[in-house]
Amino acid sequence: MILALDPAIPAANQKMPLLVENIQHRDLYWQINEKEKIKATDSYLWSPSLGRHRFSLYEGEKKAG
């Protein structure tokens, strides 16, 4: 996926939602760029920045899917 930042739009208005459907009480986490894990059941708006980014979805300690 390619996202483009628009310098004419305030950064606060350029967030990308991370969504998971059918969670059903599973222990799911997003991990962006192999850093902090974010619980997938929470509503999360990611603030894009320049560069490449890697999104991973984990169930517990294992990659989902």
Side-chain angles (χ1 to χ4, degrees):
M1 173 188 298
I2 297 174
L3 298 175
L5 299 175
D6 186 337
I9 299 173
N13 295 340
Q14 297 192 65
K15 295 185 182 236
M16 184 179 92
L18 299 180
L19 306 170
V20 177
E21 294 181 354
N22 300 322
I23 293 175
Q24 302 172 354
H25 305 291
R26 293 165 49 197
D27 189 24
L28 297 176
Y29 294 87
W30 285 107
Q31 190 172 37
I32 304 169
N33 299 328
E34 300 180 9
K35 295 182 181 173
E36 179 182 356
K37 288 184 179 178
I38 301 152
K39 199 156 184 65
T41 56
D42 299 335
S43 175
Y44 186 74
L45 294 174
W46 177 66
S47 297
S49 58
L50 295 176
R52 291 181 170 225
H53 303 284
R54 179 180 303 266
F55 295 83
S56 301
L57 184 63
Y58 282 82
E59 184 170 4
E61 295 300 315
K62 295 182 180 181
K63 277 194 177 180

